[in-house]
Amino acid sequence: MTAGSVPIEAPRLGEPYLLTPGPLTTSYPVKQAMLRDWGSWDAEFRAMTQQMRDRLLALLGPGSEDFDCVPMQGSGTFSVEAMLGSFIPRDGKALVLANGAYGQRAALTLAYLGRDYVLLDKGDYLPPRGFEVAQILADDPAISHVVAIHCETSSGILNPVAEISEATYAAGRKLLIDSMSAFGAIALEADQIRFEALVSSANKCIEGVPGFGFIIARKSELQAAEGNSNSLSLDVHAQWAHMNKTGQWRFTPPTHVVAAFLEALRAHELEGGVAARGARYGQNRDVLVAGMRELGFETLLTQRWLSPIIVTFFCPADPNFSFERFYALMKQRGFIIYPGKLTVADSFRVGCIGQMDGAVMRQVVAAAGETLAQMGVAEATPPALALEERQ
Ligand SMILES: *Cc1c(COP(=O)(O)O)cnc(C)c1O
């Protein structure tokens, strides 16, 4: 049971917990909601799409009436590409704030789209700060948009979007946010943090299954986006206009995934919304980090930037440790962990999102301790060099 007193669903027998930031462990009712076929043109499915859009918008809190929600087929990256290509005009220029793989991917997307951009690359574990954004914008008046990653899932760092937003609008520019792994668990309220558009997807903090993403954008930006996109299928304006006119998606929607997502949204509300979801994930992280530290593991990030979404740990220095073996033995114990994505030090990641609570995280820590013993690793302390890199 969690703070919100909503019971957590254990996976079915033999199914491991996914300690990965999407796909993640979903509840049985979410899976069960997929056991029915829906006609994409039918009034019932159109109503489901509308209900989903309304529920997602409501998560923005007060001020949400200036925004609209546009679902988009594909994985989260498709929605990021759709957002960048639809809201940055062809003669626009972006400042991409990167501190990991997803920031790098946003820059690569802009290169594919033929949009001009500059990159602020902070490496693996440092956040882009408001004063840095202010400086770059002051030096380059051609920049029209800032692209920020809310939670950089490759390290788990929670980036300071509030100060980034302040710097962006103080300079008269516009902010686009990849909130993929944060939306639904970390508040991003329209009346608190100014932005033009954000993206997230079905299989992150709302705890649905993979199959689509969604763009939440200011209505004025949606209107102005007509003709910007150089992709037919990823044109957010076209999808929005068609959906508002007909209630339908332009091309075949992932009907079962939408049905499952609606179930996930109901559970999200029942749990207590964004605050309760974030509190449960925060508790997951606290239990995990405390337990792993007791085993000698160290986190990549200092406490201040640790997100409640996913945590990166350094691999132990002990020569008996190998990530492949650790992974396989953890899986035997019912937990699928995630390889690291750092450039410098060896690491692995453990996700805190999905149908899990503190009790499950205690089992994860116990499994890690048993696995270390099985591997003959006496202490999980990382190499001194890895810690020196960190600040
Ligand atoms: C998951 C994620 C994405 C999208 O990844 P897909 O594999 O395309 O779903 C984008 N940005 C961030 C920060 C993410 O966590």
Side-chain angles (χ1 to χ4, degrees), residues 21-22 75-78 80 102 105 149 151-153 178 180-181 201 203-204:
S75 86
T77 302
F78 293 59
V80 175
Y102 291 102
R105 189 182 295 175
I149 314 294
C151 171
E152 175 48 78
T153 323
D178 172 353
M180 201 70 64
S181 61
S201 76
N203 59 278
K204 303 261 176 164

Side-chain angles (χ1 to χ4, degrees), residues 123-172:
D124 282 336
Y125 50 82
L126 293 175
R129 302 303 304 257
F131 70 88
E132 296 172 296
V133 173
Q135 187 63 58
I136 295 169
L137 295 181
D139 291 346
D140 189 346
I143 295 170
S144 55
H145 291 75
V146 174
V147 179
I149 314 294
H150 196 175
C151 171
E152 175 48 78
T153 323
S154 53
S155 63
I157 195 166
L158 190 57
N159 283 320
V161 286
E163 65 179 49
I164 291 168
S165 168
E166 268 171 41
T168 301
Y169 287 94

Side-chain angles (χ1 to χ4, degrees), residues 28-83:
Y28 197 69
V30 164
K31 297 180 186 66
Q32 209 168 25
M34 292 186 282
L35 293 175
R36 178 180 162 175
D37 305 316
W38 302 89
S40 61
W41 38 263
D42 186 74
E44 266 184 280
F45 184 73
R46 279 183 279 152
M48 285 158 66
T49 297
Q50 190 55 50
Q51 193 197 135
M52 171 178 89
R53 295 172 68 195
D54 293 343
R55 280 178 177 270
L56 284 170
L57 258 189
L59 299 184
L60 280 192
S64 67
E65 57 282 353
D66 295 336
F67 289 77
D68 209 349
C69 173
V70 186
M72 184 63 78
Q73 295 92 332
S75 86
T77 302
F78 293 59
S79 284
V80 175
E81 185 162 345
M83 171 177 76

